[in-house]
């Protein structure tokens, strides 16, 4: 709780606002407005996308090599109109109209119906020493979502959200900074939605009406204002455009959609083998076993403990024989160990790969291996080296990598000694010459003065670990140049850049097989490189509840492949909590159980027979739904759509969904209303407009309506939209246990369609066309329900299989899948 008394009053520095528009000129992409010494540029990149930049000193920073957005020049040129009057400059595209007031350069946007959005408030754009900001109006009935990894409820109206990556240990519902920093949000009201991407890697912050009701503000410590406005009018179109701007996730291996088991730590080969045996003997499906830091020799990355894991190659091979993929953790901290023949440290020193302070001294801090140094992942040569180090793991069969501690999480003294969290000194130089940006366009010089990134309030402790000269020539101080920057500018990119290094390394080393990558920290665009989990949660009912809006807001921030530790990482789950969490975990795009050292074991069988049976049932259901879920991943990879969705995503004009955080959609058709409190066996459920069916009983409901659902411990309330077509498969103990010999289409009466996607699930052949889609339709005419099965499209053919079409509550028909179109009719 903040202290309100005993503080001396402070006087904030006043803001300088922009001058009148004096000169206007434009080309095929950009309108430039000269406003005295300052300058505003508005680039029209798509009919629903504009970029707004404001430089207080009149000179824009060139594109940085680590830019996460598509270069302006890579967007197709689109037509737009410019209309000048004595009072305004107006820009009009097919979808929106942008009006700039000449008197104060305020930017206002309108849709074709004349509804305003992203409208500058009275102050508009302004700057002062160390900060630049813009203020905009909050419209009536407007709600705010996304913001990356955030705790609390779904809607962030009246909250402050800071973008600065931290080790968010012991986070709760009031936490602000988190492991991820994604400066993007979606604003929604009936009939209109828009997105804002704040294009700054410096410390930044959103104030959504907390300081001034009716006004939202965004501020950065970078040298200029740079943001994108994306018009919807619905969330789906905003995310399609946003992920075109920042990138989309690659299609993961299908096994990564199965159940993952993890613990800090399965401390020896003996323990891991027993774990794998238990899953198979108990017939609980599982595809992945994660190995935490104790597989290493003294926490040295890219090593194995010779005592506890004497033959890792044989272990991983034996696990693979029984259907398990192995994922190993890798942290960024490299043990400081001169003259010890530790190859990672020696190579890093020899090639000067580690972060140094501004005066050339090597920076170090303390992590698991105690005194450690840290690679500069902003440099392409360092990323290449780091990626290649994974060869020692991939050569023995490791199929995925788990990046942790990459905010970076560093202490100023050895763990356990009561130190403080630190990060690199904010004036430490990072990056290297010759690096290219996301779009392959060479980056320019750094144009912002030093004070924009340094010296502002609220930065916390940083750079106060002792430093020393290592026995090599230190790098001399070099002024910032074209592709280098201070840590103040690139702190938020450290986890993203590490994930990129790992992903690119795995692509080179496993060029014929898709790999799995998981990261704790990241920035906007992290979906291009890795899946994400929500860090170190706790075995609390509140954290089970909070996982739903957290993952939905990540999905609304362009990051679809996300999950939370099932059962909670810190603390001990009860049997009831674990059973309810496994039911919810079945919905997570990343379904992983994890627990911490010194806590009780959290495997599905440790809580007794009743809980084990519940876990088995819901993991079985996950595997049955994999054809449907894999199609959702394909949709995410091709359109940017989230996999786990809040109801507002598909019902954006229903205000009842705007604050509904505890019901979620898995794709467009399945909706869950989980139980997240102990002892509860009934709950209210809101069913939006349409007809809905109970998944378990087939009972139908005409909506919109609120119902009271009965939910004994064995049951999570689960519903399906009328007209849904859900492809399912038989239960397997792991994804590739045997070919898919039977495909069941569970069809719910109504009108609807679904495009089913398939490929071989593990190679990159789909990128060359070796994939297939089938379009299914269901409709009702008179006394008959008609199910239309389209011809298979694409260059991939599945193995021989039977297709069973089940019209829920009516009956089923079956046929051999020959890839040809057909029509099935069902009577009443």
């Amino acid at each position: 709780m903040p202290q309100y008394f005993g503080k001396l009053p402070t006087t904030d520095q006043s803001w300088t606002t922009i001058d009148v528009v004096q000169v206007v000129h434009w080309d095929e992409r950009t309108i430039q407005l000269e406003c005295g010494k300052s300058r505003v540029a508005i680039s029209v990149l798509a009919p629903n996308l504009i970029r707004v930049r404001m430089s207080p000193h009149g000179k824009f920073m060139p594109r940085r090599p680590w830019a996460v957005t598509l270069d302006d020049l890579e967007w197709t040129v689109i037509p737009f109109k410019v209309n000048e009057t004595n009072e305004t400059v107006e820009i009009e595209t097919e979808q929106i109209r942008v009006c700039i007031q000449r008197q104060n350069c305020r930017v206002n946007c309108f849709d074709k119906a004349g509804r305003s959005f992203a409208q500058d408030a009275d102050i508009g754009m302004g700057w002062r020493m160390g900060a630049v900001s813009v203020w905009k109006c909050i419209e009536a009935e407007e709600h705010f979502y996304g913001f990356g990894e955030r705790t609390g409820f779904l809607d962030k109206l009246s909250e402050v959200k800071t973008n600065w990556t931290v080790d968010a240990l012991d986070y709760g519902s009031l936490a602000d900074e988190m492991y991820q920093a994604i400066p993007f949000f979606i604003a929604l009201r009936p009939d209109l939605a828009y997105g804002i991407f704040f294009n700054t890697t410096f410390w930044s912050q959103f104030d959504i009406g907390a300081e001034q009701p009716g006004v939202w503000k965004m501020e950065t410590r970078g040298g200029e204002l740079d943001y994108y406005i994306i018009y919807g009018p619905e969330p789906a179109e905003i995310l399609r455009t946003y992920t075109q701007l920042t990138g989309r996730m690659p299609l993961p291996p299908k096994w990564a959609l199965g159940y993952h088991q993890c613990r800090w730590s399965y401390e020896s080969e003996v323990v891991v083998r027993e774990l794998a045996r238990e899953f198979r003997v108990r017939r609980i499906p599982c595809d992945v076993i994660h190995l935490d830091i104790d597989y290493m020799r003294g926490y040295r990355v890219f090593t194995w403990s010779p005592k506890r894991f004497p033959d890792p190659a044989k272990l991983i091979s034996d696990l693979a024989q029984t259907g398990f993929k192995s994922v190993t953790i890798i942290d960024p901290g490299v043990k400081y160990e001169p003259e010890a023949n530790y190859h990672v440290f020696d190579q890093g020193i020899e090639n000067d790969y580690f972060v140094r302070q501004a005066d050339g001294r090597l920076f170090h801090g303390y992590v698991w291996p105690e005194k450690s140094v840290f690679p500069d992942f902003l440099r392409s040569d360092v990323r290449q080296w780091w990626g290649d180090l994974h060869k020692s793991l991939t050569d023995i069969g490791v199929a995925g990598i788990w990046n942790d501690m990459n905010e970076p999480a560093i202490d100023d003294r050895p763990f356990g000694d009561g130190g403080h969290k630190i990060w690199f000194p904010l004036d430490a130089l990072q990056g290297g010459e010759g690096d290219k940006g996301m779009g392959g366009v060479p980056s320019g010089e750094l144009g912002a003065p030093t004070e924009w990134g340094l010296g502002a309030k609220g930065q916390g402790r940083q750079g106060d670990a002792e430093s020393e000269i290592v026995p090599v020539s230190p790098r001399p101080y070099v002024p910032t140049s074209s592709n280098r920057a201070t840590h103040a500018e690139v702190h938020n990119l450290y986890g993203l850049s590490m994930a990129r290094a790992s992903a690119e390394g795995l692509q080179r080393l496993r060029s014929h097989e898709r790999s799995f990558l998981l990261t704790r920290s990241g920035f906007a665009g992290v979906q291009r490189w890795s899946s994400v989990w929500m860090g170190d949660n706790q075995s609390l009912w509140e954290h089970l509840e909070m996982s739903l809006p957290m993952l939905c807001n990540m999905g609304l921030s362009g990051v679809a492949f996300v999950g939370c530790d099932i059962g909670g990482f810190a603390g001990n789950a009860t049997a009831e909590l674990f059973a309810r969490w496994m039911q919810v975990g079945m919905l997570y795009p990343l379904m992983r159980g994890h627990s911490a050292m010194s806590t009780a074991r959290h495997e599905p069988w440790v809580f007794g027979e009743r809980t084990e049976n519940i876990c088995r049932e819901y993991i079985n259901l996950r595997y049955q739904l994999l054809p449907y879920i894999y199609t959702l991943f394909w949709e995410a990879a091709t359109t940017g759509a989230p996999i786990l969705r809040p109801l507002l995503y598909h019902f954006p004009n229903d205000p009842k969904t705007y604050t509904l955080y505890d019901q979620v959609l898995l794709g467009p058709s399945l909706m869950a209303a989980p139980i997240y409190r102990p002892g509860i066996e009934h709950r209210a459920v809101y069913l939006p407009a349409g007809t809905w069916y109970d998944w378990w009983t087939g009972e139908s409901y005409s909506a919109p309506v609120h119902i009271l659902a009965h939910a004994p411990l064995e049951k999570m309330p689960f519903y399906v939209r009328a007209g849904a077509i859900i492809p399912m498969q038989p239960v397997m103990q792991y994804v590739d246990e045997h070919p898919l010999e039977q495909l069941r289409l569970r069809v719910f009466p109504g009108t609807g369609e679904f495009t089913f996607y398939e490929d071989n699930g593990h190679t990159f052949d789909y990128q060359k066309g070796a994939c297939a889609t089938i379009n299914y339709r269901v409709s009702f005419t008179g006394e008959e329900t008609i199910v239309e099965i389209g011809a298979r499209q694409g260059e991939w053919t599945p193995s021989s299989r039977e297709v069973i079409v089940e019209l829920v509550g009516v009956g089923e028909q079956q046929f051999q899948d020959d890839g040809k179109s057909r029509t099935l009719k069902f009577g009443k």
Side-chain angles (χ1 to χ4, degrees), residues 61-67 378 429-437 441-448 478-486 489-490:
M61 293 173 60
R63 181 174 170 85
R64 308 299 273 140
W66 44 82
L378 269 292
L429 291 174
Q430 292 181 250
E433 300 297 336
D435 287 344
K436 303 291 185 181
V441 179
S443 301
E445 64 182 1
L446 177 65
V478 179
T480 53
S481 61
S482 59
N483 294 333
R484 305 192 70 196
T486 63
E489 182 175 354
V490 298

Side-chain angles (χ1 to χ4, degrees), residues 142-145 185-189 192-196 216 233 238:
E142 201 160 59
H143 300 262
F144 295 82
Y145 311 97
F185 70 80
I186 293 174
L188 172 67
R189 66 184 196 261
L192 195 149
Y194 68 93
I196 295 286
W216 67 261
I238 294 170

Side-chain angles (χ1 to χ4, degrees), residues 37-68:
K37 293 183 178 180
S38 44
R39 180 184 294 264
V40 173
I42 298 179
S43 299
V44 181
L45 304 178
N48 69 329
L49 173 65
I50 65 169
R51 180 185 185 185
V52 181
R53 303 177 75 186
M54 188 276 289
S55 171
H57 47 76
K59 181 181 178 182
F60 292 116
M61 293 173 60
R63 181 174 170 85
R64 308 299 273 140
W66 44 82
V68 299

